[in-house]
């Protein structure tokens, strides 16, 4: 399994006034598998992705990334694991506004200590692949929502992660653009034999995926 999470509990707030969002969610994802986690707004999809992506520590539960216990590692080792194995497409604040699309896509490579030549070369080839090479030197605020999302996806896969966690990747797009981005995600999964976990409340996006699961009352139900 690329990702395997067991009995994840997450709550917000202090102990006397806490809301339990996840109450024992479990999920496993195989290499190359594209899975949609569905659920209405507020059901905890973003919370789940942040726990699985080693961004926010759950109150309880294990997350294995390629067999490694992500939350059991030191924060430095966890950051390395995240950088090498996990790509993330965020629900909000997709890109850094003060950087061009190319610079945004290069960022994970630079953080990992690659030279700017290497990073540039990889970013350009990915921008080409996702169809926005002509927008490389534009800033996020000056391109369309679909183009921003393509850049966010390119940034998420530039380190060749084993799994990409994408939080409502088509949430703010019109239906035609959503379909195009969805098609791109399915192609990138196949080309790289890479797993994706997509959070979505849209049945349309979930149409093409290999498997759907539902987040309901804090736990995951299979379709
Ligand atoms: N940082 C936070 N502090 C307090 N409550 C939060 C926070 N983030 C999310 N929540 C609450 O947790 C629940 C699940 O949120 P979220 O994971 O964002 O759901 P979804 O992504 O499915 O819309 C919601 O009730 C939301 O209001
Ligand atoms: Mg959300």
């Amino acid at each position: 399994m690329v990702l395997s999470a067991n009995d994840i509990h997450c709550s917000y707030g202090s102990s006397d006034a806490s809301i339990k969002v996840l109450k024992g969610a479990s999920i496993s994802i195989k290499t190359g598998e594209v899975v949609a986690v569905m659920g209405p707004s507020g059901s905890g999809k973003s919370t789940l992705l942040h726990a699985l992506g080693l961004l926010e520590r759950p109150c309880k539960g294990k997350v294995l990334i390629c067999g490694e216990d992500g939350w059991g590692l030191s924060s430095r080792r966890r950051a390395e694991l995240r950088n090498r194995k996990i790509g993330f497409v965020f629900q909000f604040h997709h890109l850094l506004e003060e950087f061009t699309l190319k610079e945004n896509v290069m960022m994970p490579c630079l953080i990992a200590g690659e030279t700017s030549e290497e990073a540039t070369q990889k970013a350009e080839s990915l921008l080409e692949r996702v169809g926005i090479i002509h927008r490389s030197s534009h800033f996020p605020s000056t391109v369309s929502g679909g183009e921003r999302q393509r850049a966010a996806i390119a940034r998420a896969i530039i380190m060749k992660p084993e799994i990409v966690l994408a939080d409502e990747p088509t949430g703010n797009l019109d239906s035609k653009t959503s379909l195009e981005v969805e098609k791109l995600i399915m192609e990138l999964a196949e080309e790289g034999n890479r797993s994706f976990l997509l959070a979505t409340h849209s049945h349309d996006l979930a149409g093409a995926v290999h498997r759907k699961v539902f987040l309901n009352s804090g736990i995951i139900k299979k379709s």
Side-chain angles (χ1 to χ4, degrees):
M1 291 292 170
V2 168
L3 181 151
S4 173
N6 196 29
D7 199 28
I8 303 292
H9 293 251
C10 290
S11 13
Y12 292 106
S14 54
S15 54
D16 50 334
S18 85
I19 31 163
K20 294 190 170 71
V21 177
L22 300 180
K23 304 174 189 169
S26 300
I27 187 167
S28 291
I29 298 171
K30 293 186 209 128
T31 303
E33 201 178 20
V34 183
V35 179
V37 54
M38 307 196 59
S41 178
S43 58
K45 301 180 297 297
S46 296
T47 303
L48 177 69
L49 260 57
H50 289 130
L52 301 180
L54 308 180
L55 294 167
E56 270 173 69
R57 185 186 287 275
C59 313
K60 179 171 177 242
K62 252 188 191 179
V63 177
L64 303 181
I65 304 293
C66 304
E68 264 197 283
D69 176 4
W71 288 111
L73 301 172
S74 67
S75 58
R76 198 176 62 84
R77 299 259 330 270
R78 181 161 54 251
E80 276 169 21
L81 180 66
R82 198 166 53 218
N83 194 264
R84 277 186 292 117
K85 302 269 167 91
I86 306 174
F88 216 101
V89 180
F90 291 93
Q91 180 168 10
F92 304 109
H93 313 296
H94 300 303
L95 299 168
L96 301 168
E97 294 295 335
E98 63 274 32
F99 293 96
T100 65
L101 296 192
K102 181 155 82 182
E103 288 163 347
N104 268 280
V105 175
M106 289 164 68
M107 203 64 74
C109 300
L110 298 178
I111 290 170
E114 294 181 21
T115 65
S116 113
E117 288 72 30
E118 274 178 289
T120 301
Q121 200 178 22
K122 284 191 206 170
E124 283 175 353
S125 105
L126 267 179
L127 286 160
E128 177 85 51
R129 171 62 191 89
V130 302
I132 51 169
I133 189 74
H134 57 301
R135 293 282 184 263
S136 297
S137 55
H138 288 238
F139 289 90
S141 60
T142 68
V143 303
S144 72
E147 288 168 337
R148 277 198 291 277
Q149 215 44 331
R150 286 169 190 271
I153 292 168
R155 181 179 62 181
I157 62 173
I158 194 158
M159 296 299 291
K160 299 191 184 299
E162 304 287 332
I163 184 161
V164 179
L165 305 173
D167 198 353
E168 312 252 9
T170 64
N172 301 314
L173 305 177
D174 62 57
S175 55
K176 178 170 172 281
T177 312
S178 292
L179 276 177
E180 289 165 3
V181 168
E182 173 193 323
K183 184 163 166 275
L184 176 67
I185 288 173
M186 296 308 296
E187 288 170 3
L188 292 172
E190 188 159 342
E191 284 165 22
N193 195 25
R194 176 167 301 131
S195 314
F196 279 77
L197 178 63
L198 312 169
T200 179
H201 60 261
S202 147
H203 286 272
D204 294 342
L205 170 65
V209 301
H210 302 141
R211 182 159 65 92
K212 295 180 207 176
V213 297
F214 297 87
L215 189 54
N216 206 318
S217 309
I219 62 168
I220 289 191
K221 305 198 167 131
K222 313 228 157 14
S223 54

